[in-house]
Amino acid sequence: MSIRLALGNVRKSLRDYLIYFMTLSFGVCIFYAFNSIDSQQAVMEMTGSQMAALRLISRIMNTFSVFVSVILAFLILYANGFLIKRRKKEFGLYIILGMEKWMTARILLFETLFVGLLSLFAGLFLGVFLSQGMAVVTARLLGAGIGSFSFVFSFSALVKTMGYFGLAFVLALLFNIEMVRRQKLIDLLYAAKKNESFKPPRPGLSILIFILSLCCIGLSYKLILNNGLISSQGILTVCTVLGGAGTFLFFFSLSGFFLKLVQQNRGLYLKGLNMFVLRQIAGKINTAYVTMTLVCLMLFVSICTLSSGMGLADALAAELRGNTPFDATFFVRASDESPESAYAGVDLLAIARERGFDPGEGTYAAVRAYAADSPVALLAEGAEKTVYPEFMKLSDFNKVLELQGIDPIFLGADEYALNSGVRNERWQGMLAAYEEGGALELAGKRLRAAADGLYAYTTEVSSIKDYTIVAVVPDELLSDAPIKRDILHMNYPPGDGDCEKRCVSALLGFAPEGFEGSLETKARMMEYSHSTTTTIAYLAIYLGVVSLLMAATVLAIGQLSEAGDNVDRYGLLRKIGVEDRMIDTALFAQILICFGVPALPALAHAAVGIRAASKFVDIFGEMNILGSSLVAAFGIVVIYCAYFFATYAGSKRIVNKEYAHQRRIMENE
Amino acid sequence: MSSILQAQNVEKYYGNKGNLTRALAGVSFSVEEGEYVGVMGASGSGKTTLLNCISTIDTVTAGHIHIDGRDITEMGRKSLASFRREKLGFIFQDFNLLDTLTAYENIALALTIRKRPPREINARVKEAAEMLGISDVLRRYPYQMSGGQKQRVAGARALITNPALILADEPTGALDSKSARALLESFRRLVREKKATILMVTHDAFAAGHCDRILFIRDGRLFHQLPRGRDTGKQFFDKIIEVVSLLGGETNDVN
């Protein structure tokens, strides 16, 4: 009996359950997919270190899953609470008909169970497909090959998903039963009749607050754009506080301000149902500005993490290609303990051969970088005084270029050139000084900047792109200069897969006594970078999507419960002769604006945030923020729209329900 | 004077073949332009059904209803909706004002949903408010008004579109006697000055006493008609009470 009632209820209120179902399914799907990462190795051909990277990613995802599961559980409870609220009267009726409270609770139990199971399976089904596609993406991000196709299925992720969501359901269940148990019958029956206290906005004050809020937001934009993300903690805090407070005040005053604005335009205000819709929204925002602020901030976080996370991953991958001009770079320099002047230089080629690896098998370039005492101070006025370039002989620099297959550069006897792999902000002062023809004094000789002597070649394999800025000078000027480091660039002979292994075993971690050595190879960097990019990208997507789900669900449910309260108002419009189409349009506009209002400031915040972040990310390389933003935006729009339409369908149903019911009775006669 | 409303042998049955309820059993009457007609009857007499049929909310089983020269029993659902919007005005017992709108906006809404040009709205709202004596509460929200004021705002909303016929369903039902009197007097003024035609369902003899003519309904039939003629208010009221006591049952409701 309870089961039949419960099944019938679920079938009857399928559209009421739609948002609940969607949130659960999306949640389960995402949760499963990101927890099944380690089982994706089934379709990949990986090296040992790639495997280790995959395991690391999987561990990080597992850690964050705890946090995510708490959020999802909260969402489930929130959505569930809305459903229960809408059906209080029904439960009151059961009890009045003589049903025991525990029986009502049992109906609820079965209902929750049905919907829970249904969405769990739908979510898992989607999740299995998602993880299938994700395996391909993971393989690409990790630089691993794709092996023969096989079905990716993670039993542990399945168990985990079921466990976590099962727990959330149990919580929802306890919550429901407690609700039914504690409610008084009168409250259940008259739940819908409770009057909402309507507070009309006060326009005068809100205009003032609105302007203040715009000032706050504008100021925080200006601060963050001028100072960037790597500014002092103080400025960042001020920005956050100003932005947050500004957003809050914005929503606090928006309804009053907007209402006043539109009321001025009588042609617009007194047209169709505009007046009504505007009042509806004003009333809504007026009471729900806290929710609006939260939703806006969640959307902001979602947009930022999704686009800059993916952008960062892109940037890291792109940078890698430009950052590895050779197969390997080995260098030795004075260790931090011993002063630089004590370093007299070593013969790297000899060392390598001694340790069993002959760079001569392939091609190589052994070069030297020099330090100078106080070169920078001699650059043009306004230059960054604290940064010291490395010096390199013209012949050495050309060797480095030749190894990359680049034509050599030429210098006059009194000229110098500058090379920097990236136009980083740190070098900006120096590069600008060069472009203004800043002179350089070295070994008692004054050098002028060579025309077109500013190069942007990558000159070594290094994990950080802006490691060096190199001043290239005529050879003879450096004969007495202190040596900074010896560098050996190597390209392996083509088709020799073993070379990397031998090179690494000979030189990795090795340094002559008293010195520091460093080996960076292309292959190692690839793997390292792949695991970093993958981690960042996945984490960004995971958290971004979850916070998007949260924002959309909170909005949708807010709107739906609003629609429930609005049945009377819409019914009244019908009574005074408003057409169905007009009512649908009004409802559509109302929900559209409610979804749009928090999204627009979130977009503006995100645009500024991403701009600031892209400057920060520049250190790692140029970020293709546009491409990844578009991809992220597409995903966000799809999910957001899904929630929007589900909300519209649900609200329409709620608003039309009573009316449709009446009409059905009439038509049956 | 031409007749605005003509009902001919209106019948209305509820239920199915096995279990028929006759709510209206052939009611015929007509209402002239500028007339103020009351409909009285006990609970279950069919007066609300009659009003629903006239207001196109419900359909008749047999018979015809002509409003402003058009037969509403022959119209399709779509044209009915627009007919209702253009020709009829409604006043309900529980006011039915939107709590989120001010009095002004509630009245204006009736025009905006009929897509009237915004510039004519202001003057018409002011005029209607003047007519019903609510000019000074136009900026208030419904929760800031008394019941009588609310009902007069609803009246202004019904009247502002210049409907051929205003249908009022127990308009004084939720009002105290003082507010009820003020409302009824403003209705009279509407009839006198604006030549409005009002059909008011009520079971309050005092309210009915303001009408030009009263139709008494019993068991789905027109039981009696009582024109005011040259009677004073007191004489007319006494006659109403007499008929009501004949109708049976509802004398207790007379206050």
Side-chain angles (χ1 to χ4, degrees):
Chain A
M1 168 67 181
S2 315
I3 292 182
R4 226 163 45 97
L5 258 178
L7 260 178
N9 284 341
V10 172
R11 222 182 34 232
K12 247 186 354 213
S13 43
L14 214 56
R15 263 196 281 179
D16 276 352
Y17 271 115
L18 189 61
I19 294 285
Y20 188 59
F21 180 74
M22 264 170 64
T23 304
L24 270 175
S25 301
F26 279 144
V28 168
C29 168
I30 292 282
F31 193 84
Y32 171 83
F34 280 93
N35 277 290
S36 69
I37 286 176
D38 59 346
S39 69
Q40 290 172 6
Q41 51 183 288
V43 292
M44 292 180 228
E45 287 168 347
M46 289 189 295
T47 63
S49 56
Q50 281 170 342
M51 204 91 103
L54 191 70
R55 254 179 246 124
L56 177 73
I57 294 168
S58 162
R59 246 209 335 272
I60 292 176
M61 291 299 152
N62 281 346
T63 314
F64 275 91
S65 287
V66 177
F67 169 66
V68 166
S69 66
V70 171
I71 291 182
L72 289 176
F74 163 76
L75 280 188
I76 291 172
L77 285 179
Y78 188 70
N80 174 68
F82 157 72
L83 279 180
I84 294 304
K85 200 180 127 201
R86 263 185 57 66
R87 299 183 45 206
K88 275 188 175 172
K89 196 171 178 178
E90 186 184 326
F91 293 123
L93 193 67
Y94 288 151
I95 293 171
I96 250 192
L97 289 176
M99 206 181 260
E100 296 283 341
K101 272 190 176 173
W102 65 265
M103 282 231 336
T104 338
R106 212 170 64 175
I107 293 177
L108 252 179
L109 183 142
F110 285 125
E111 277 190 51
T112 320
L113 206 66
F114 285 141
V115 180
L117 283 179
L118 205 64
S119 44
L120 194 61
F121 284 121
L124 281 175
F125 185 73
L126 284 177
V128 167
F129 274 94
L130 185 66
S131 74
Q132 211 72 18
M134 241 171 88
V136 179
V137 178
T138 315
R140 225 195 53 176
L141 285 175
L142 283 179
I146 304 218
S148 57
F149 176 82
S150 70
F151 195 69
V152 175
F153 184 77
S154 165
F155 188 70
S156 66
L158 177 79
V159 170
K160 194 170 164 189
T161 310
M162 289 180 112
Y164 274 107
F165 279 85
L167 199 67
F169 288 141
V170 170
L171 278 180
L173 205 63
L174 290 177
F175 179 83
N176 289 349
I177 292 173
E178 184 60 14
M179 198 282 305
V180 171
R181 210 177 59 78
R182 272 182 38 190
Q183 288 290 333
K184 288 195 200 102
L185 187 54
I186 180 113
D187 292 337
L188 283 177
L189 282 174
Y190 290 94
K193 291 267 161 56
K194 282 220 172 107
N195 273 336
E196 230 192 326
S197 54
F198 167 73
K199 281 181 254 150
R202 284 190 302 180
L205 194 64
S206 53
I207 291 174
L208 214 70
I209 298 178
F210 188 75
I211 292 168
L212 182 72
S213 79
L214 288 188
C215 291
C216 279
I217 294 174
L219 193 63
S220 77
Y221 282 0
K222 200 171 144 58
L223 273 177
I224 196 85
L225 283 181
N226 287 351
N227 295 290
L229 272 189
I230 358 176
S231 44
S232 72
Q233 195 63 41
I235 291 180
L236 224 57
T237 315
V238 170
C239 272
T240 317
V241 170
L242 269 180
T247 311
F248 177 78
L249 291 178
F250 177 80
F251 286 113
F252 181 75
S253 59
L254 182 66
S255 63
F257 175 78
F258 199 62
L259 196 65
K260 193 80 192 162
L261 197 73
V262 182
Q263 274 177 340
Q264 295 304 315
N265 182 353
R266 300 205 77 78
L268 185 65
Y269 192 62
L270 293 177
K271 192 166 160 248
L273 284 178
N274 285 359
M275 189 161 70
F276 173 75
V277 170
L278 216 74
R279 286 287 191 178
Q280 285 289 96
I281 293 162
K284 166 82 187 159
I285 302 178
N286 207 31
T287 50
Y289 50 85
V290 179
T291 324
M292 284 283 176
T293 310
L294 284 180
V295 167
C296 173
L297 295 181
M298 281 187 283
L299 278 177
F300 164 65
V301 168
S302 170
I303 299 171
C304 277
T305 44
L306 278 175
S307 51
S308 44
M310 285 160 74
L312 186 59
D314 258 9
L316 287 176
E319 168 219 87
L320 192 67
R321 281 189 287 281
N323 238 12
T324 50
F326 316 111
D327 283 335
T329 292
F330 179 60
F331 72 81
V332 168
R333 64 169 186 195
S335 77
D336 284 342
E337 287 91 49
S338 55
E340 223 164 64
S341 55
Y343 182 67
V346 290
D347 185 352
L348 288 183
L349 208 57
I351 289 174
R353 286 188 176 131
E354 200 177 290
R355 296 195 51 86
F357 176 70
D358 185 5
E361 287 174 37
T363 50
Y364 66 92
V367 297
R368 208 156 246 189
Y370 298 86
D373 294 336
S374 55
V376 180
L378 296 173
L379 285 169
E381 282 303 306
E384 176 66 62
K385 303 280 195 292
T386 56
V387 183
Y388 287 67
E390 273 188 345
F391 285 82
M392 192 174 274
K393 288 176 176 171
L394 177 63
S395 60
D396 273 0
F397 188 71
N398 278 336
K399 267 198 246 171
V400 174
L401 294 187
E402 195 196 343
L403 194 62
Q404 295 185 49
I406 299 170
D407 291 338
I409 65 167
F410 298 98
L411 284 179
D414 58 346
E415 288 180 333
Y416 75 102
L418 274 188
N419 180 62
S420 153
V422 65
R423 295 287 160 108
N424 189 281
E425 281 203 353
R426 250 175 93 193
W427 308 136
Q428 217 60 62
M430 198 183 291
L431 296 178
Y434 186 93
E435 273 169 350
E436 285 164 22
L440 180 72
E441 206 171 287
L442 188 70
K445 199 167 177 191
R446 197 175 169 83
L447 298 174
R448 58 192 175 76
D452 301 323
L454 209 49
Y455 299 101
Y457 297 123
T458 311
T459 51
E460 64 188 284
V461 179
S462 159
S463 52
I464 309 170
K465 201 165 183 177
D466 69 339
Y467 189 71
T468 48
I469 181 162
V470 179
V472 184
V473 299
D475 288 13
E476 63 276 10
L477 291 179
L478 289 174
S479 45
D480 294 330
I483 300 168
K484 194 175 171 198
R485 46 182 194 138
D486 282 293
I487 310 157
L488 179 62
H489 302 298
M490 293 164 276
N491 273 337
Y492 306 140
D496 187 351
D498 264 2
C499 221
E500 160 84 10
K501 220 178 255 174
R502 279 182 285 126
C503 176
V504 168
S505 70
L507 297 174
L508 186 65
F510 168 78
E513 187 62 35
F515 303 133
E516 253 176 33
S518 158
L519 176 76
E520 213 39 277
T521 76
K522 195 178 195 166
R524 283 168 50 79
M525 272 186 57
M526 288 284 196
E527 278 174 19
Y528 168 73
S529 152
H530 283 325
S531 73
T532 317
T533 44
T534 316
T535 312
I536 293 175
Y538 276 7
L539 209 56
I541 294 172
Y542 197 19
L543 297 182
V545 168
V546 167
S547 89
L548 178 66
L549 276 187
M550 182 140 164
T553 310
V554 169
L555 254 187
I557 289 181
Q559 273 303 300
L560 283 177
S561 41
E562 178 84 345
D565 300 336
N566 279 336
V567 171
D568 289 347
R569 289 183 194 145
Y570 279 101
L572 211 144
L573 286 180
R574 274 210 179 84
K575 273 191 191 164
I576 63 170
V578 181
E579 289 167 66
D580 290 6
R581 224 186 42 228
M582 234 170 158
I583 286 185
D584 287 350
T585 313
L587 195 63
F588 189 82
Q590 188 189 332
I591 294 170
L592 186 69
I593 293 175
C594 276
F595 268 71
V597 158
L600 291 180
L603 271 179
H605 288 7
V608 172
I610 289 170
R611 239 187 103 77
S614 67
K615 276 189 190 162
F616 168 69
V617 172
D618 259 359
I619 297 170
F620 297 99
E622 267 162 56
M623 182 152 106
N624 174 19
I625 198 71
L626 189 70
S628 53
S629 289
L630 286 180
V631 173
F634 180 74
I636 291 174
V637 166
V638 166
I639 296 185
Y640 207 60
C641 281
Y643 270 88
F644 168 73
F645 282 111
T647 309
Y648 175 58
S651 305
K652 204 164 125 179
R653 182 182 122 89
I654 293 173
V655 165
N656 286 348
K657 198 151 128 194
E658 216 153 302
Y659 179 66
H661 181 67
Q662 278 173 10
R663 203 154 65 195
R664 219 172 18 251
I665 292 175
M666 266 169 59
E667 276 161 10
N668 281 346
E669 282 157 11
Chain B
M1 265 194 206
S2 62
S3 75
I4 288 284
L5 169 68
Q6 261 185 319
Q8 297 166 343
N9 283 316
V10 174
E11 291 182 33
K12 176 74 191 176
Y13 292 87
Y14 287 113
N16 48 30
K17 273 176 192 153
N19 177 21
L20 259 187
T21 311
R22 194 174 58 179
L24 293 175
V27 176
S28 301
F29 66 95
S30 69
V31 176
E32 305 302 310
E33 191 179 348
E35 211 181 359
Y36 186 4
V37 176
V39 178
M40 293 194 77
S43 306
S45 61
K47 61 183 191 303
T48 302
T49 306
L50 180 65
L51 191 74
N52 282 344
C53 287
I54 294 170
S55 62
T56 75
I57 291 171
D58 208 343
T59 51
V60 299
T61 312
H64 294 275
I65 299 174
H66 292 267
I67 298 176
D68 207 17
R70 293 185 62 192
D71 188 348
I72 60 165
T73 57
E74 304 284 322
M75 283 192 228
R77 224 185 78 202
K78 251 211 138 108
S79 42
L80 269 184
S82 75
F83 180 84
R84 185 158 62 225
R85 218 168 37 243
E86 298 309 322
K87 298 287 180 190
L88 301 179
F90 293 95
I91 300 171
F92 309 91
Q93 177 172 359
D94 48 1
F95 322 129
N96 279 335
L97 297 179
L98 284 159
D99 56 347
T100 47
L101 301 184
T102 60
Y104 179 96
E105 290 166 345
N106 263 298
I107 300 170
L109 191 66
L111 291 177
T112 68
I113 60 169
R114 285 164 178 84
K115 305 191 176 95
R116 294 287 149 78
R119 65 198 135 66
E120 76 176 48
I121 289 178
N122 192 37
R124 288 179 64 178
V125 172
K126 293 270 163 65
E127 188 198 358
E130 182 70 29
M131 178 70 68
L132 286 157
I134 43 170
S135 298
D136 48 340
V137 296
L138 280 181
R139 296 171 71 87
R140 293 199 193 157
Y141 289 92
Y143 78 97
Q144 295 166 318
M145 290 186 271
S146 72
Q149 286 169 334
K150 279 191 238 184
Q151 195 59 294
R152 275 180 285 160
V153 171
R157 183 179 63 187
L159 133 106
I160 194 166
T161 56
N162 288 328
L165 179 64
I166 296 176
L167 299 165
D169 186 5
E170 302 275 9
T172 57
L175 302 183
D176 60 83
S177 58
K178 186 159 164 272
S179 303
R181 189 190 307 264
L183 178 75
L184 292 165
E185 268 156 21
S186 54
F187 278 7
R188 268 243 73 90
R189 233 181 115 200
L190 279 184
V191 173
R192 205 168 53 232
E193 293 175 17
K194 301 272 296 183
K195 295 278 169 275
T197 313
I198 300 177
L199 183 72
M200 174 172 78
V201 167
T202 183
H203 63 256
D204 173 3
F206 174 74
H210 283 75
C211 297
D212 297 326
R213 178 157 60 104
I214 300 176
L215 310 173
F216 294 91
I217 308 271
R218 186 164 87 169
D219 299 336
R221 291 174 196 281
L222 193 59
F223 171 73
H224 186 64
Q225 287 202 44
L226 188 66
R228 186 190 191 99
R230 294 181 171 280
D231 291 348
T232 62
K234 176 81 175 78
Q235 289 169 328
F236 192 43
F237 182 75
D238 289 342
K239 281 188 186 167
I240 294 170
I241 294 289
E242 233 170 89
V243 182
V244 167
S245 61
L246 274 175
L247 280 175
E250 287 260 305
T251 34
N252 291 343
D253 284 0
V254 176
N255 40 26

